[in-house]
Amino acid sequence: MKVIQSTGNTTVKNWKKLQTRKGRNQQGKYLLEGWHLVREALTAGEKISEIMVTSTAFAQIDLQADLPQEAALFEISEEVAQKLSATPSPQGIFATVIIDENASLRPDQATGAWLFLDTVQDPGNVGTMVRTADAAGFAGVVLSHGSVDFYQPKLVRSMQGSQFHIQISQGDLSEWTAAFQANSYPVFGSELNEKARSYDKVGRHENFALVMGNEGNGLSSKMLQQTSLNLYIPLKGKAESLNVAVAAGIMMFALKA
Amino acid sequence: MKVIQSTGNTTVKNWKKLQTRKGRNQQGKYLLEGWHLVREALTAGEKISEIMVTSTAFAQIDLQADLPQEAALFEISEEVAQKLSATPSPQGIFATVIIDENASLRPDQATGAWLFLDTVQDPGNVGTMVRTADAAGFAGVVLSHGSVDFYQPKLVRSMQGSQFHIQISQGDLSEWTAAFQANSYPVFGSELNEKARSYDKVGRHENFALVMGNEGNGLSSKMLQQTSLNLYIPLKGKAESLNVAVAAGIMMFALKA
């Protein structure tokens, strides 16, 4: 086990760079923090590159269960843990996970219920929607290329490990929509438009996609035309709209068979 | 119109203090930022104490429609706007609104659908739930005393003006629950427990309350005993729970007649 005391260490600086998209792209991995997420990654058989623990956290490790052979183990100081952490009182355990782009399904292979996210920007919203898709029994989530990426730190926290339970993929939503329609799976858009169909009037489905749009602008007109049918949630009060993650949750639980 | 250029001005410091609970309690008002919220407050006839605008924003004001007679008007510099703002590029309009504790309904006067929040801590979640309650046609939201207060800046941003559309009140949830039950209105708890009743098996209601609990711990055992019936959302995937605002949204839209 290597020991790293200094926050100025090059390896620590490289871990810190995983908080940026550029760093993740260059190194091909992302950072997990905390017992819950690290254990979920291990249980799911993710490709773990490094595990970093403080001496306090090391005492709580089950060496057999918690350490895959291929992962490099580092003992880090409390200062290094503080530098890597997003919280004021870190649990003292981190891991880096290899991002495996080839693990993604091709659109024509997908079955089950899918959530498509069209240029959604807020990482907390995206992460919450992945978590909700998992809870609703969805097979996967596809993020359009113009959105954030799945491994942004706040997004990873919001997913709470759901990336290990369901498929997540970044791709071209037009291509995904066309592939679903070629398989006769409906693709439901969501629209703030009272002339659209009410979300609770289309029944429940096994194989389908639901598309949610950008927080401010909703779905692009291109997507609204490409979808099989556009749905809306009738609003009864004076609020002009719902938070996108709340709207997605209401629709996912209503549409999934 | 008074002009304030310096961020060191005492009046500016007092406005800045409204970002803290202590400041709001001492001054009895809270801060709004941006055209949307200030106009919503005016439309709703809120008691506005002060309106602060930059010269750029002042040029866009409709003097007749946007300025109530009783409000003091301040022209502020861009530096002052930056100091008061929560965003990197402020719109340059702010208002302080009197917090009127006496405007709250008594529990025995309440009718319609209500959301009770038991020690929910995250201001973004609380604000999103107020916005969702508005959209679902609820009459009001009651926050327990151990929660945040409604006028925390992030909470105000998340409500998006829904505090002007529905009742919001901070109170003793045991007292509210007892008052609803005395009127034969059901009070539904929410529980992560598969032995509870599924949320979509109790029909739709006109007069009722839904109680959501703390993000980490759920409802207190005291509340779970006091409620008329406890509901849960069956989870199909491997996620252990839903975000509290998403769960509240799913239940509110399913329960409200």
Side-chain angles (χ1 to χ4, degrees):
Chain A
M1 180 162 66
K2 292 180 200 155
V3 177
I4 301 183
Q5 298 283 352
S6 163
T7 56
N9 181 287
T10 309
T11 305
V12 175
K13 286 183 179 166
N14 284 334
W15 290 333
K16 187 77 186 168
K17 283 182 189 157
L18 297 178
Q19 293 182 355
T20 68
R21 189 170 197 152
K22 189 178 162 198
R24 292 189 291 277
N25 285 343
Q26 284 176 343
Q27 299 179 48
K29 55 192 183 185
Y30 74 102
L31 190 68
L32 287 182
E33 175 174 359
W35 287 102
H36 175 71
L37 291 183
V38 174
R39 288 213 164 111
E40 285 251 14
L42 290 163
T43 306
E46 293 288 312
K47 291 177 190 157
I48 296 186
S49 171
E50 295 142 319
I51 294 185
M52 303 85 100
V53 282
T54 59
S55 57
T56 317
F58 187 70
Q60 301 167 51
I61 272 193
D62 177 340
L63 284 171
Q64 298 260 300
D66 289 343
L67 292 180
Q69 286 193 328
E70 64 274 19
L73 183 63
F74 292 84
E75 185 184 314
I76 55 174
S77 63
E78 298 292 340
E79 292 69 36
V80 170
Q82 200 64 65
K83 188 176 170 93
L84 294 178
S85 179
T87 73
S89 36
Q91 296 179 349
I93 182 162
F94 302 83
T96 58
V97 183
I98 307 286
I99 299 172
D100 185 0
E101 302 286 2
N102 296 322
S104 295
L105 277 184
R106 287 206 325 267
D108 61 342
Q109 299 170 316
T111 57
W114 285 72
L115 179 66
F116 295 171
L117 302 179
D118 187 15
T119 61
V120 178
Q121 297 300 341
D122 181 79
N125 280 338
V126 174
T128 300
M129 288 191 275
V130 173
R131 178 182 172 193
T132 309
D134 178 11
F138 273 48
V141 178
V142 185
L143 256 180
S144 68
H145 288 302
S147 310
V148 292
D149 76 294
F150 276 117
Y151 303 106
Q152 195 270 358
K154 190 179 170 196
L155 204 158
V156 170
R157 282 197 301 284
S158 306
M159 288 195 288
Q160 296 208 355
S162 285
Q163 74 270 34
F164 307 129
H165 309 152
I166 65 174
Q167 300 273 338
I168 57 174
S169 184
Q170 200 138 11
D172 178 337
L173 293 188
S174 284
E175 199 183 314
W176 278 83
T177 299
F180 271 54
Q181 291 172 336
N183 284 330
S184 302
Y185 302 160
V187 178
F188 298 113
S190 54
E191 192 178 12
L192 255 178
N193 177 357
E194 293 187 13
K195 290 176 188 158
R197 186 84 66 91
S198 180
Y199 75 103
D200 54 357
K201 300 283 184 281
V202 293
R204 291 181 178 273
H205 301 260
E206 288 285 353
N207 299 299
F208 70 100
L210 170 67
V211 200
M212 302 302 298
N214 178 275
E215 290 90 340
N217 307 316
L219 276 191
S220 65
S221 54
K222 186 184 159 201
M223 273 310 297
L224 284 172
Q225 285 175 7
Q226 216 190 329
T227 48
S228 317
L229 184 67
N230 294 316
L231 308 179
Y232 87 113
I233 301 176
L235 302 187
K236 292 171 186 167
K238 290 188 202 157
E240 290 167 14
S241 63
L242 287 166
N243 166 281
V244 65
V246 173
I250 293 169
M251 289 192 173
M252 284 193 274
F253 273 85
L255 292 171
K256 173 76 171 64
Chain B
M1 180 163 65
K2 292 181 200 155
V3 177
I4 301 184
Q5 299 282 351
S6 163
T7 56
N9 181 287
T10 309
T11 305
V12 175
K13 286 183 181 168
N14 284 334
W15 290 332
K16 186 76 186 169
K17 284 181 189 158
L18 297 178
Q19 294 180 356
T20 68
R21 189 170 195 151
K22 188 178 164 197
R24 292 189 291 277
N25 285 343
Q26 284 176 344
Q27 299 179 49
K29 55 191 183 185
Y30 73 102
L31 190 68
L32 286 183
E33 174 173 359
W35 286 102
H36 175 70
L37 291 183
V38 174
R39 288 212 164 111
E40 285 251 15
L42 289 163
T43 306
E46 293 288 312
K47 292 177 190 158
I48 294 186
S49 173
E50 297 141 317
I51 295 184
M52 303 84 101
V53 282
T54 59
S55 57
T56 317
F58 187 70
Q60 301 167 52
I61 272 193
D62 177 341
L63 284 173
Q64 298 260 301
D66 289 342
L67 291 181
Q69 286 192 328
E70 64 275 20
L73 184 63
F74 293 84
E75 185 184 315
I76 55 174
S77 63
E78 298 291 341
E79 290 71 33
V80 170
Q82 199 64 64
K83 188 178 169 90
L84 294 179
S85 178
T87 74
S89 37
Q91 295 178 351
I93 181 161
F94 302 83
T96 58
V97 183
I98 307 286
I99 298 172
D100 185 0
E101 302 286 1
N102 297 323
S104 294
L105 278 184
R106 287 206 324 268
D108 61 342
Q109 298 171 316
T111 57
W114 285 73
L115 179 67
F116 295 171
L117 301 179
D118 186 15
T119 60
V120 179
Q121 298 299 342
D122 180 79
N125 280 339
V126 174
T128 300
M129 287 191 275
V130 173
R131 177 181 172 195
T132 309
D134 178 13
F138 273 48
V141 178
V142 185
L143 255 180
S144 68
H145 287 301
S147 310
V148 293
D149 76 293
F150 277 117
Y151 302 106
Q152 194 271 0
K154 190 178 171 196
L155 204 159
V156 171
R157 283 198 299 285
S158 304
M159 288 195 287
Q160 295 208 356
S162 285
Q163 73 269 35
F164 307 128
H165 308 153
I166 64 174
Q167 300 273 338
I168 57 173
S169 184
Q170 201 138 9
D172 178 337
L173 293 189
S174 283
E175 198 184 316
W176 278 82
T177 299
F180 271 54
Q181 291 173 336
N183 283 330
S184 302
Y185 301 159
V187 178
F188 298 113
S190 54
E191 191 178 14
L192 253 179
N193 176 357
E194 292 187 13
K195 290 176 188 158
R197 186 83 66 92
S198 181
Y199 75 102
D200 54 357
K201 299 283 183 280
V202 293
R204 291 181 177 274
H205 301 260
E206 289 286 351
N207 300 298
F208 71 100
L210 169 67
V211 200
M212 302 302 297
N214 178 275
E215 289 92 341
N217 307 317
L219 276 191
S220 65
S221 54
K222 186 184 159 199
M223 273 309 298
L224 284 173
Q225 284 175 7
Q226 216 190 330
T227 48
S228 317
L229 183 67
N230 295 315
L231 308 178
Y232 86 113
I233 301 176
L235 302 186
K236 292 170 185 169
K238 290 189 202 158
E240 290 167 14
S241 64
L242 287 165
N243 166 282
V244 65
V246 172
I250 293 169
M251 288 192 174
M252 284 193 273
F253 272 84
L255 292 171
K256 173 81 172 63

